[in-house]
Amino acid sequence: MIAACASAASAGDGGYEFLNITPSSHVYALGGRNISLVDDDIAMVYQNPALLGTEMHLQASVNYMRYLGGSNFMGAVCGFRLHERGALAVGIQYFGYGKFDQTSIDGTIEGSFSPNDISFSVSYSHDITDRLRGGITLKGISSSYEAYSAFAVATDLGINYYNPESDLSLSLVFTNLGGQLKKFNDTSVSLPWDLRLGYTQTLSSVPIRLSITAHDLTKWKMPYYKKPDNNIENEPFEIHDSFTSNLFRHLTFGVEYAASSKFYLALGYSYKTRSDMTTYSRNFLSGFSIGAGMRAKMLGFGIALAQPHVGGTTFMLNLNCNIADFLN
């Protein structure tokens, strides 16, 4: 079992997919990816370091997520103003995957172990102009799977343009640029580096905000397998690789009602998540996510729910605190 776990971590062209799971309930409610949402939420730094700003001085956020298969993710982040145009954020995220049996080669249970990943991050942002902001995040990633361990470093680079008059936000992000300094079992595992584009716009007539995030832009073809419509037993899966399916598997959509800065209702849709679940027990809700958030002067919270397939409901909670208001 131990060898299988490490082997699985080392197989294929890449790993570290947990880095793509957002710790922001607001983002998770909008489909799980959003690099252009300008909001007073320090957790947005994990999506795009250019969304960090001096207005987030002494703002802290803690997050918890109940993920699939008994996994539990949690973490915290805090922001600081360095000078008039620069801000810093430090954070930590823990990814625990539950308890596994440790077995010998003949299947005898010899104990148990709890694999986990931990990511430490430091982010810096700078206001280039009044509407243009750039940012960088440096991450150290420690992985422990019983007797196997690894350490990697990664960088996120982001830029954001925001027009407050029209509430228009455009972003570009390079994520997870880096590699392993210490390997699993002498086998390299690449990081899930990606290029993303983001668009967020509030409608002029109603308090509705729309977001579209394009991701996995380093490759066009993203085929997936689907059960044949005839549902004949042992019938081979069909490969879907059309222009339309490839296009929509690159896009995540989000819409939210935000009548004020203190409350929002959000709905997201990821066709990639829905199509990835075609070989499993997906349902009508697969690919959809929903959430809400409220904020008072010093405290705020956000929740989000999703059900990728019938046997797996995910739940995320964020608690935010403006420490500066407590000190005043």
Side-chain angles (χ1 to χ4, degrees), residues 63-145:
N63 62 275
Y64 169 78
M65 184 180 195
R66 179 68 173 178
Y67 202 58
L68 302 173
S71 299
N72 292 278
F73 305 156
M74 62 195 74
V77 61
C78 187
F80 306 90
R81 180 176 58 248
L82 293 184
H83 48 79
E84 184 179 354
R85 288 184 171 269
L88 181 76
V90 293
I92 181 173
Q93 293 294 319
Y94 171 84
F95 305 86
Y97 308 109
K99 186 173 291 187
F100 292 82
D101 290 333
Q102 177 181 344
T103 61
S104 64
I105 195 170
D106 62 359
T108 302
I109 297 178
E110 298 179 336
S112 63
F113 65 100
S114 300
N116 64 78
D117 295 288
I118 302 175
S119 173
F120 307 90
S121 64
V122 178
S123 302
Y124 174 76
S125 71
H126 185 82
D127 293 341
I128 303 170
T129 69
D130 291 340
R131 295 186 177 183
L132 193 65
R133 179 181 289 169
I136 181 173
T137 295
L138 300 177
K139 293 179 282 192
I141 307 147
S142 175
S143 302
S144 177
Y145 302 157

Side-chain angles (χ1 to χ4, degrees), residues 1-327:
M1 178 67 180
I2 302 172
C5 181
S7 184
S10 303
D13 295 329
Y16 294 92
E17 288 298 329
F18 59 88
L19 293 174
N20 288 324
I21 301 174
T22 177
S24 166
S25 59
H26 199 163
V27 172
Y28 196 66
L30 292 170
R33 292 183 178 90
N34 190 307
I35 64 169
S36 53
L37 178 63
V38 176
D39 190 37
D40 189 21
D41 181 2
I42 187 66
M44 291 301 301
V45 68
Y46 289 109
Q47 290 288 297
N48 180 358
L51 297 179
L52 171 69
T54 58
E55 67 276 8
M56 297 176 183
H57 178 59
L58 291 182
Q59 184 181 130
S61 176
V62 295
N63 62 275
Y64 169 78
M65 184 180 195
R66 179 68 173 178
Y67 202 58
L68 302 173
S71 299
N72 292 278
F73 305 156
M74 62 195 74
V77 61
C78 187
F80 306 90
R81 180 176 58 248
L82 293 184
H83 48 79
E84 184 179 354
R85 288 184 171 269
L88 181 76
V90 293
I92 181 173
Q93 293 294 319
Y94 171 84
F95 305 86
Y97 308 109
K99 186 173 291 187
F100 292 82
D101 290 333
Q102 177 181 344
T103 61
S104 64
I105 195 170
D106 62 359
T108 302
I109 297 178
E110 298 179 336
S112 63
F113 65 100
S114 300
N116 64 78
D117 295 288
I118 302 175
S119 173
F120 307 90
S121 64
V122 178
S123 302
Y124 174 76
S125 71
H126 185 82
D127 293 341
I128 303 170
T129 69
D130 291 340
R131 295 186 177 183
L132 193 65
R133 179 181 289 169
I136 181 173
T137 295
L138 300 177
K139 293 179 282 192
I141 307 147
S142 175
S143 302
S144 177
Y145 302 157
E146 209 275 335
Y148 300 87
S149 62
F151 186 80
V153 293
T155 300
D156 297 343
L157 302 173
I159 192 166
N160 172 258
Y161 168 84
Y162 178 63
N163 184 336
E165 285 79 21
S166 59
D167 202 15
L168 168 67
S169 176
L170 301 171
S171 288
L172 169 69
V173 176
F174 289 92
T175 66
N176 301 317
L177 301 172
Q180 288 181 304
L181 299 182
K182 180 183 178 183
K183 304 175 182 179
F184 282 111
N185 200 23
D186 296 325
T187 303
S188 295
V189 181
S190 60
L191 272 65
W193 74 280
D194 192 14
L195 170 63
R196 299 173 183 174
L197 294 171
Y199 160 85
T200 297
Q201 173 77 72
T202 297
L203 303 183
S204 58
S205 56
V206 290
I208 300 294
R209 187 158 48 187
L210 304 177
S211 292
I212 302 175
T213 304
H215 48 85
D216 296 295
L217 297 181
T218 59
K219 55 186 176 182
W220 167 249
K221 286 184 172 291
M222 297 177 66
Y224 69 94
Y225 291 90
K226 181 181 179 181
K227 290 183 179 180
D229 294 333
N230 54 30
N231 286 323
I232 298 177
E233 190 175 355
N234 297 324
E235 187 79 5
F237 289 106
E238 301 172 349
I239 298 178
H240 283 240
D241 193 22
S242 67
F243 174 86
T244 302
S245 68
N246 279 314
L247 173 62
F248 280 93
R249 278 172 63 80
H250 283 282
L251 301 175
T252 297
F253 301 91
V255 58
E256 59 182 323
Y257 173 79
S260 74
S261 61
K262 299 185 182 301
F263 175 76
Y264 70 84
L265 286 173
L267 176 69
Y269 178 70
S270 169
Y271 178 70
K272 183 178 186 300
T273 298
R274 183 169 180 81
S275 54
D276 283 345
M277 291 294 108
T278 55
T279 56
Y280 299 93
S281 300
R282 79 174 187 187
N283 58 16
F284 174 78
L285 298 176
S286 297
F288 289 94
S289 54
I290 190 171
M294 295 186 66
R295 182 182 298 120
K297 182 179 180 181
M298 293 179 288
L299 298 173
F301 76 93
I303 57 173
L305 292 168
Q307 191 179 59
H309 60 84
V310 294
T313 299
T314 59
F315 168 80
M316 177 175 284
L317 172 67
N318 279 127
L319 296 175
N320 302 319
C321 173
N322 194 330
I323 302 173
D325 289 337
F326 282 101
L327 298 178

